[in-house]
Amino acid sequence: MRAARVQEPARELFRDAAFPASESSLFFNLSTPLAQFREDITWRRPQEICTAPRLFPDNQREGQVKQGLLGDCWFLCACAALQKSRHLLDRVFPPGQPSWSDQTYRGLFICRIWQFGHWEEVTIDDRLPCLAGRLCFSRCQREDVFWLPLLEKVYAKVHGSYEHLWAGQVADALVDLTGGLAERWNLKDLAGTSGRQDRPVSSQELRTCRQMLRLKDRCLISCSVLSPRAGASVLGEFHAFIVSDLQELQGRAGRAILLLRILNPWGRQCWQGLWREGGEGWSQLEPTDKTRLLSQLQDGEFWVEEEEFLREFDEVTISYPFTEAGHLQSLYTEKTLCHAQTLPGAWVEGQSAGGCRNNSCFPSNPKFWLWLSEPSEVCVAVLQRPQRCLAGQARVLGGHGRAPACPPDKDYQAVGLHIWKVEKRRVSLPRVLSAPPVAGTVCHAYDREVHLRCELSPGHYLAVPSTFLKDVSAQFLLRVFSTGKMSLSAERPAAKSTGPRTTLPAGEVETVQLRGCWKAGQTAGGSRNFASYTRNPCLPFLVPEGAGPRRVRITLQQHCQLGDSQLHPIGFHVFQVPEGGESQDMRSLLLREPLLSCVPHRYAQEVSRLCLLAAGTYKVVPSTYLPDAEGAFTVTIATRVDRRSIHSQEVLGHFLQEVSVMAVMKA
């Protein structure tokens, strides 16, 4: 008699209690269009979505990213960087994890995300949000490939929910996925330098589309539209793309033509420019070149020429490439930045939050020693820690791409960095800071990370990161990458001195830029003639104390050209915040008479006002004349710095108080 076969119990699949398959993982505050699908989203594992799920594709094109209902194109563009480097992919997706066909499969996956200086392991189950049985968020070109939706779920868990991913910066996601650096280039600046010869003078002069041509195979290149453009009017605004290829060809007339292949994460054709399929631009090429380039296009891809690219797009984000050994490479010289060092720091209210160089308490900011043993190319970055402790505060700033900072992201401060060379380890701080720095950021920026690249000679340097406003608390990470041997140390703060003040020279200008947008129904309130005026962006700035009023130039620039159909009549008003009234209702403030104005509203790309302002806190309110007129803008505030006094008589170089670590070659 044959023995009865014992049936093995079904394997119990992992369910992540920390990020459950429920609304709490989908939504933060139901503030995005995602909320309309609240009742329809279900959760399914990959084997419930298709018959033979795979983690990775057989070829890279099958794993091409496609955006779903979630406005996270900024994150998906950064994910494409992993397809360019097996080293990066293995770091984020540790090899050897069981897949769906393996006997050891338990329904969980582990990924690593770089967070504030460390690679953190994040475990998730593989239940994914679906609509009508299909993935409703990100997916790959082949829908049986799941590395992308799984990584998207990991990133949503890190941020608290999928809805938290609705808007963001491509550069931030690149840093989180690579642990490296990423830069944003303003394409309007590139347009002004596109005809110059490259020469190793400054980072700005080395930023060209020809430089992107050299980088295309080694790092991720993304571009963004911040406001509607003629060639991509159906895209709306704040949308990010992937530059999937660049090719330089010889045209029929003998002219060199640089073409860029752009991928829209939406995965559908949208381009209406000269180089669309059937467009007149193709008449400039030989038929064989035309056929070859058009055959390379997949869903959502299109070609665009350099001049059109610089005109129609606003920004480019580029990640620093990695060598096979895991070192960063310079974007500009291709040199290996083989020495790296990281130190934490903090701005503490009343102690080390001295604000920008306008303020007499600037010397109280955190200070770092940098020593170089040889001539070096150096990249220094100040990375802020997000203030996520504010009750899970959303970072939803509107749009489908990079966050436009409208209003500036409350998670971050406007941050800058300056570096001085010193002749010896023990120096007088007032004497050092009275001299111009050897390098510094152009302005303080409301970005998670600000960068400074420079060529430095051997010797000692003093690096001072600062916030624009004084007495604001935040934590940061100072990261230094160098081609030559170096050491980095943090100077511990000295006791405050009551000694005499030191007079410093006048004549410098400190600048801060505040980016924002007018969005219909939200932040496009129109002029003061309309009751909706109080909905306009309300941007803060500080005029520091001095001997008298300071000369301040306030400039409002809208992100479109003269003659563009999107050009609006613009102007602004400035309101002074009463002492102790920083927390008062902004609506009541804006209903008062403004301190000064730049009106009437004018049809101009830029309007400006030079004024004298006493020390204090102010709000500038940029507006269009009519409500619901959409667009992006930048407010630039340039303050004349007199630096009448510095309170500190500190002497740097207290050797026993230093924390110093020598950077070494990475293994």
Side-chain angles (χ1 to χ4, degrees):
M1 187 174 177
R2 182 176 294 180
R5 191 170 190 178
V6 179
Q7 185 175 0
E8 293 184 3
R11 288 176 295 176
E12 184 176 353
L13 298 180
F14 173 67
R15 291 173 175 264
D16 185 5
F19 199 67
S22 66
E23 285 192 2
S24 64
S25 298
L26 289 172
F27 304 108
F28 166 66
N29 59 5
L30 299 173
S31 61
T32 69
L34 185 61
Q36 64 186 295
F37 303 102
R38 183 178 183 181
E39 303 297 331
D40 303 316
I41 294 178
T42 60
W43 298 77
R44 299 191 179 192
R45 297 185 188 269
Q47 64 269 36
E48 299 170 336
I49 300 173
C50 64
T51 56
R54 298 177 291 162
L55 189 57
F56 298 110
D58 295 329
N59 64 70
Q60 182 174 317
R61 300 290 277 182
E62 292 179 344
Q64 182 173 286
V65 304
K66 295 185 71 174
Q67 184 179 357
L69 299 176
L70 191 60
D72 62 347
C73 57
W74 60 283
F75 170 68
L76 302 184
C77 288
C79 288
L82 304 183
Q83 296 178 297
K84 289 182 174 287
S85 169
R86 189 73 202 184
H87 168 78
L88 293 177
L89 186 62
D90 288 344
R91 179 175 283 177
V92 172
F93 272 96
Q97 299 190 60
S99 189
W100 296 273
S101 59
D102 299 335
Q103 289 296 318
T104 54
Y105 164 72
R106 289 293 183 270
L108 64 84
F109 287 88
I110 297 174
C111 290
R112 299 190 189 107
I113 302 293
W114 192 87
Q115 293 284 281
F116 203 66
H118 304 282
W119 286 97
E120 296 185 0
E121 284 197 350
V122 182
T123 301
I124 57 165
D125 63 37
D126 59 357
R127 294 177 294 175
L128 298 170
C130 295
L131 273 177
R134 296 183 61 193
L135 292 169
C136 60
F137 299 151
S138 72
R139 61 179 69 93
C140 293
Q141 187 75 22
R142 282 285 301 267
E143 294 192 28
D144 59 349
V145 175
F146 285 90
W147 73 272
L148 183 63
L150 289 172
L151 183 56
E152 183 185 50
K153 182 174 183 178
V154 166
Y155 208 58
K157 181 176 180 178
V158 168
H159 284 74
S161 73
Y162 278 94
E163 195 174 45
H164 274 102
L165 304 186
W166 191 265
Q169 293 275 16
V170 178
D172 293 349
L174 279 169
V175 172
D176 291 343
L177 294 177
T178 67
L181 296 174
E183 287 192 7
R184 290 160 51 203
W185 297 356
N186 186 318
L187 288 180
K188 301 305 174 274
D189 294 338
L190 264 67
T193 59
S194 58
R196 299 181 186 175
Q197 293 292 323
D198 288 354
R199 56 191 180 93
V201 174
S202 69
S203 300
Q204 185 63 49
E205 291 177 321
L206 292 172
R207 295 175 177 179
T208 66
C209 285
R210 292 304 189 279
Q211 180 72 354
M212 291 161 54
L213 179 64
R214 292 191 286 269
L215 292 167
K216 66 172 184 175
D217 295 324
R218 298 189 292 122
C219 56
L220 187 280
I221 303 175
S222 173
C223 56
S224 300
V225 171
L226 306 186
S227 56
R229 290 289 188 267
S233 58
V234 299
L235 293 180
E237 57 186 351
F238 306 119
H239 189 49
F241 304 76
I242 298 168
V243 181
S244 50
D245 193 15
L246 295 93
Q247 293 201 22
E248 192 168 27
L249 303 103
Q250 195 76 14
R252 285 183 167 182
R255 181 175 71 92
I257 298 176
L258 179 62
L259 292 179
L260 300 92
R261 192 172 78 214
I262 311 297
L263 169 64
N264 178 10
W266 287 349
R268 61 177 183 264
Q269 296 294 336
C270 60
W271 190 250
Q272 299 300 316
L274 294 176
W275 294 84
R276 66 186 184 277
E277 290 192 57
E280 57 189 68
W282 295 103
S283 62
Q284 303 176 43
L285 294 183
E286 297 294 337
T288 53
D289 288 332
K290 171 185 174 181
T291 301
R292 176 175 59 86
L293 295 183
L294 287 175
S295 67
Q296 296 176 6
L297 296 179
Q298 289 202 2
D299 291 345
E301 288 188 321
F302 55 90
W303 290 96
V304 59
E305 191 179 0
E306 177 183 16
E307 181 181 350
E308 193 176 26
F309 175 75
L310 294 174
R311 183 177 68 251
E312 302 289 356
F313 292 86
D314 294 292
E315 274 190 353
V316 158
T317 301
I318 303 183
S319 63
Y320 275 60
F322 282 86
T323 66
E324 292 184 0
H327 303 306
L328 283 182
Q329 274 188 301
S330 169
L331 282 179
Y332 306 97
T333 64
E334 300 186 16
K335 295 178 180 178
T336 302
L337 303 169
C338 51
H339 300 269
Q341 183 61 50
T342 300
L343 284 176
W347 296 288
V348 180
E349 182 179 357
Q351 299 179 31
S352 59
C356 67
R357 298 176 68 213
N358 294 2
N359 299 297
S360 60
C361 52
F362 173 78
S364 66
N365 281 300
K367 294 169 284 293
F368 296 85
W369 283 108
L370 173 64
W371 175 77
L372 297 170
S373 65
E374 56 191 297
S376 303
E377 180 179 358
V378 179
C379 295
V380 188
V382 181
L383 174 70
Q384 297 186 67
R385 182 191 287 274
Q387 298 178 13
R388 293 177 184 155
C389 57
L390 302 178
Q393 175 181 328
R395 297 191 59 227
V396 179
L397 299 183
H400 289 74
R402 68 172 290 275
C406 174
D409 192 334
K410 294 181 181 178
D411 272 359
Y412 303 119
Q413 299 295 331
V415 170
L417 173 68
H418 295 85
I419 297 177
W420 285 265
K421 187 169 185 181
V422 294
E423 296 301 324
K424 55 185 179 179
R425 290 292 295 270
R426 295 180 64 87
V427 295
S428 168
L429 187 59
R431 187 178 299 116
V432 169
L433 299 184
S434 69
V438 296
T441 51
V442 175
C443 65
H444 286 67
Y446 280 99
D447 290 328
R448 190 178 79 167
E449 188 167 49
V450 297
H451 307 93
L452 186 59
R453 173 197 168 271
C454 43
E455 300 278 351
L456 298 179
S457 58
H460 297 287
Y461 294 85
L462 178 67
V464 183
S466 63
T467 57
F468 182 72
L469 300 176
K470 66 177 180 179
D471 288 333
V472 292
S473 296
Q475 296 180 11
F476 65 87
L477 207 61
L478 186 72
R479 301 199 288 161
V480 181
F481 302 86
S482 172
T483 56
K485 293 180 180 180
M486 57 94 170
S487 69
L488 181 68
S489 60
E491 179 75 17
R492 296 181 63 179
K496 290 185 177 180
S497 172
T498 57
R501 299 179 174 184
T502 302
T503 301
L504 297 180
E508 297 184 50
V509 174
E510 188 76 21
T511 302
V512 65
Q513 289 186 337
L514 307 171
R515 294 186 177 186
C517 69
W518 297 292
K519 197 167 185 64
Q522 297 181 30
T523 58
S527 67
R528 297 184 74 230
N529 296 347
F530 300 91
S532 57
Y533 173 76
T534 56
R535 296 206 307 257
N536 282 301
C538 190
L539 309 176
F541 70 96
L542 175 74
V543 175
E545 296 178 359
R550 292 182 183 267
R551 293 166 60 88
V552 180
R553 178 171 292 280
I554 305 173
T555 304
L556 169 63
Q557 180 185 41
Q558 53 181 323
H559 296 177
C560 54
Q561 304 295 325
L562 289 173
D564 194 318
S565 61
Q566 300 298 322
L567 191 75
H568 303 299
I570 59 172
F572 61 83
H573 299 281
V574 176
F575 299 83
Q576 184 167 16
V577 179
E579 187 174 352
E582 288 81 356
S583 60
Q584 79 174 83
D585 178 35
M586 284 299 104
R587 178 180 174 83
S588 61
L589 176 68
L590 301 190
L591 290 177
R592 301 169 54 186
E593 282 297 311
L595 180 69
L596 59 93
S597 303
C598 184
V599 291
H601 290 67
R602 293 195 294 120
Y603 277 101
Q605 186 182 4
E606 181 178 289
V607 295
S608 182
R609 172 78 188 266
L610 181 64
C611 49
L612 288 174
L613 296 178
T617 302
Y618 297 84
K619 302 280 186 178
V620 57
V621 182
S623 63
T624 57
Y625 181 71
L626 294 176
D628 294 333
E630 297 197 333
F633 63 81
T634 297
V635 173
T636 302
I637 300 169
T639 305
R640 179 68 62 179
V641 180
D642 55 21
R643 303 215 183 89
R644 291 183 55 82
S645 63
I646 280 187
H647 294 293
S648 172
Q649 289 293 313
E650 178 181 356
V651 174
L652 297 182
H654 303 285
F655 297 102
L656 297 180
Q657 294 184 350
E658 279 191 351
V659 180
S660 181
V661 183
M662 175 68 72
V664 297
M665 297 283 286
K666 290 185 178 178

